[in-house]
Amino acid sequence: MLDKHLSITFFLGIAIGPMFCNILMAASSVAKNDLARSKPNQYNLATETKSWKGYFPNPFKILSKRQTIFTSITTFLSSLTFVFSPVGMTSLMGEIVGSRTKGAYKKSTTSLTVMNGVTESTYIAEAIIPLIAFGIPLSPVALGPASPLFNAPPIFTVDPVNNLHTLMSSWDFFIFGLIGISVAALIAYPFAMNYARKASVLVLKYISQEAIVAMFIGLAFLLAYNEAQLLGVVLTFTVATVGGLLNRILGVGAGVQFMVFYASSWIMLQLFGI
């Protein structure tokens, strides 16, 4: 039916699974009772504790020495495992560091710091390493959200390899990567650090949860349709239904589901020889 492999469709289905499962349960006359609430949800945000002067915060002064060491080690190790699921590696590294940190506050802040660093390092490594070194998608990120960088016929192809791997030199990757790092460090990072709490308050107070859910569902619909038209949409929401039920009923996390999806070809080969 299609002349190409589907990847974004399945990726989106797993990503929106828990959210889509809640929508289906809310539409059910029997299951909606599990989602009913007698009062609005309450959110407790920490007070604004700006521990730095000026607009640009020094991360080495904000993080403790222990947090800096843990984050450096875990981001380095997770970058080496660029063929693994970034969601799985983020959860794994966060749990490992959290289990070795005492105190509820230090445990939560250290785990979140490490998980944020691992998330950034794995997503970047899983897109950049296969692209520069091989030119073919060898990681979950390269197979999913970064797949157009590798295979977007008729412009980019992987058989034969004709994409950014062949069109850009190592110096090109270095220069454009340096530009991206500079923009993130000088603009995105200080902006997020200075206005993260204000943005959270704005979203929680003035933007309804239904609007956010509708935005994600609409984005998933758009991307799935762009990849495989109506077939992609049907597959996306089928995977979302199954994945969401697995998550809610059996507690199978999204990271595990991503790992199973990326290993599905090998699993089917071993089980059925196809």
Side-chain angles (χ1 to χ4, degrees):
M1 297 179 66
L2 294 173
D3 296 329
K4 59 182 179 180
H5 297 289
L6 301 181
S7 57
I8 297 178
T9 292
F10 290 93
F11 181 89
L12 288 171
I14 298 174
I16 68 173
M19 177 174 58
F20 189 68
C21 180
N22 285 341
I23 295 177
L24 295 178
M25 293 180 65
S28 170
S29 59
V30 178
K32 68 179 182 180
N33 294 327
D34 295 335
L35 301 177
R37 298 291 184 269
S38 59
K39 58 181 180 180
N41 291 334
Q42 292 184 348
Y43 299 94
N44 298 315
L45 292 178
T47 58
E48 188 75 71
T49 55
K50 189 175 180 179
S51 59
W52 60 90
K53 295 181 180 180
Y55 183 73
F56 190 88
N58 186 344
F60 296 104
K61 292 184 178 180
I62 297 174
L63 300 178
S64 66
K65 184 178 180 180
R66 183 183 180 89
Q67 290 173 340
T68 302
I69 293 174
F70 274 141
T71 304
S72 300
I73 294 175
T74 54
T75 52
F76 175 75
L77 293 176
S78 61
S79 297
L80 297 179
T81 59
F82 65 92
V83 295
F84 293 170
S85 166
V87 179
M89 289 302 300
T90 299
S91 301
L92 176 63
M93 292 300 179
E95 291 176 1
I96 291 176
V97 171
S99 64
R100 286 162 173 75
T101 306
K102 297 180 179 180
Y105 178 76
K106 290 184 178 180
K107 181 176 182 178
S108 62
T109 54
T110 303
S111 296
L112 287 173
T113 301
V114 168
M115 292 173 68
N116 183 69
V118 171
T119 299
E120 301 295 336
S121 66
T122 50
Y123 272 93
I124 293 175
E126 292 192 17
I128 296 299
I129 293 177
L131 186 61
I132 297 178
F134 308 103
I136 55 177
L138 297 176
S139 69
V141 173
L143 288 168
S147 62
L149 299 177
F150 296 85
N151 191 43
I155 306 301
F156 294 157
T157 60
V158 293
D159 188 20
V161 176
N162 180 40
N163 48 40
L164 296 181
H165 173 77
T166 54
L167 299 176
M168 293 175 61
S169 66
S170 298
W171 276 107
D172 291 332
F173 280 107
F174 175 78
I175 293 173
F176 288 111
L178 185 61
I179 293 173
I181 293 174
S182 300
V183 172
L186 298 177
I187 299 177
Y189 167 68
F191 183 84
M193 291 294 291
N194 285 285
Y195 298 104
R197 189 181 188 281
K198 294 182 177 65
S200 299
V201 172
L202 179 67
V203 171
L204 292 174
K205 289 182 65 176
Y206 300 108
I207 301 179
S208 67
Q209 184 180 13
E210 291 79 5
I212 298 176
V213 170
M215 180 189 68
F216 278 110
I217 295 296
L219 180 61
F221 187 101
L222 174 64
L223 294 176
Y225 186 84
N226 181 66
E227 183 180 52
Q229 289 72 55
L230 290 179
L231 176 61
V233 175
V234 172
L235 285 175
T236 295
F237 290 105
T238 301
V239 173
T241 302
V242 176
L245 291 173
L246 287 173
N247 177 267
R248 187 169 185 86
I249 298 175
L250 300 180
V252 180
V256 175
Q257 294 185 39
F258 280 123
M259 290 181 179
V260 172
F261 165 58
Y262 296 127
S264 59
S265 300
W266 181 84
I267 293 174
M268 295 298 292
L269 179 63
Q270 297 300 316
L271 292 178
F272 306 106
I274 57 176

